[in-house]
Amino acid sequence: MAFSADELRVLRRALSTALHPTPLPDEDVQDCLRLAGAVDEVVGEAGRLRTFLLADLVRYRNALPGSVSGYLELLQDALAGGYDPRPDDLAALRALRHRPVAAALLERCQVLAERSVRARLAGRSAPSAAPAPRSRLLALPGGRAADAEPERPKTPAAPPRPAPPSERPAPKPSEVFPPRRPVPPPQQWAAG
């Protein structure tokens, strides 16, 4: 995540206020709220992208063995992003272990899967790659909420239910953005 110069200025002021609480002007409060909204938007977009990539990984896994190179590449990207390999991934990699890349990925995935199982057996939850939802920024010292009544703690909302599967599956990136094919140069006709 990258911040612009203005966003860094707002972040620096917010951190300074957090360390040394002082009343803030309304303009600074609005800047902080806009920055918080932008961060929430980026986190949400990252979650949507992750969901899309994991769904794409499943599609490629289901299309094996014809999609070997695409599947291995997507799996490497997913593992780099904190993905815990599923039993289906391990089974697919075992079937492909005659390929050097698949054999190396199989070893890596087995270590990650074993770590995940040990963590669950030890009573800890396995580390989640998805970021925890951030609570809303409701008040800053001296902001508008300082004059209002203190809010009662809210009970946590139920997690959103997944949308029902649509009749038509989401298109693959290769369907939306087909690869460019090189155009052969026009042939020169020789006279004679």
Side-chain angles (χ1 to χ4, degrees), residues 28-76:
D28 287 351
V29 172
Q30 291 303 318
D31 288 344
C32 288
L33 290 173
R34 274 193 293 276
L35 180 61
V39 169
D40 285 343
E41 186 177 323
V42 168
V43 168
E45 186 62 30
R48 286 189 293 277
L49 177 62
R50 179 174 171 71
T51 301
F52 173 78
L53 291 176
L54 293 180
D56 211 23
L57 178 67
V58 170
R59 282 194 291 274
Y60 274 79
R61 184 177 57 228
N62 291 339
L64 285 174
S67 63
V68 172
S69 61
Y71 172 70
L72 295 176
E73 185 178 320
L74 283 173
L75 183 59
Q76 287 175 335

Side-chain angles (χ1 to χ4, degrees), residues 67-151:
S67 63
V68 172
S69 61
Y71 172 70
L72 295 176
E73 185 178 320
L74 283 173
L75 183 59
Q76 287 175 335
D77 291 345
L79 291 173
Y83 173 71
D84 267 345
R86 308 283 186 258
D88 292 341
D89 294 313
L90 294 172
L93 288 171
R94 283 186 192 104
L96 300 170
R97 68 177 156 227
H98 62 279
R99 295 174 174 257
V101 174
L105 272 174
L106 177 60
E107 288 179 28
R108 183 176 173 195
C109 287
Q110 285 174 331
V111 169
L112 292 172
E114 183 178 333
R115 240 185 248 157
S116 177
V117 168
R118 286 178 191 254
R120 281 193 298 261
L121 290 176
R124 299 176 310 189
S125 63
S128 172
R134 189 173 61 78
S135 61
R136 294 288 304 160
L137 179 62
L138 298 176
L140 293 172
R144 283 191 223 160
D147 300 332
E149 296 178 29
E151 289 189 26

Side-chain angles (χ1 to χ4, degrees), residues 7 13 26 47 50 61 126 141 154 159 169:
E7 290 170 332
R13 271 188 291 160
D26 280 344
R50 179 174 171 71
R61 184 177 57 228
K154 296 180 182 178

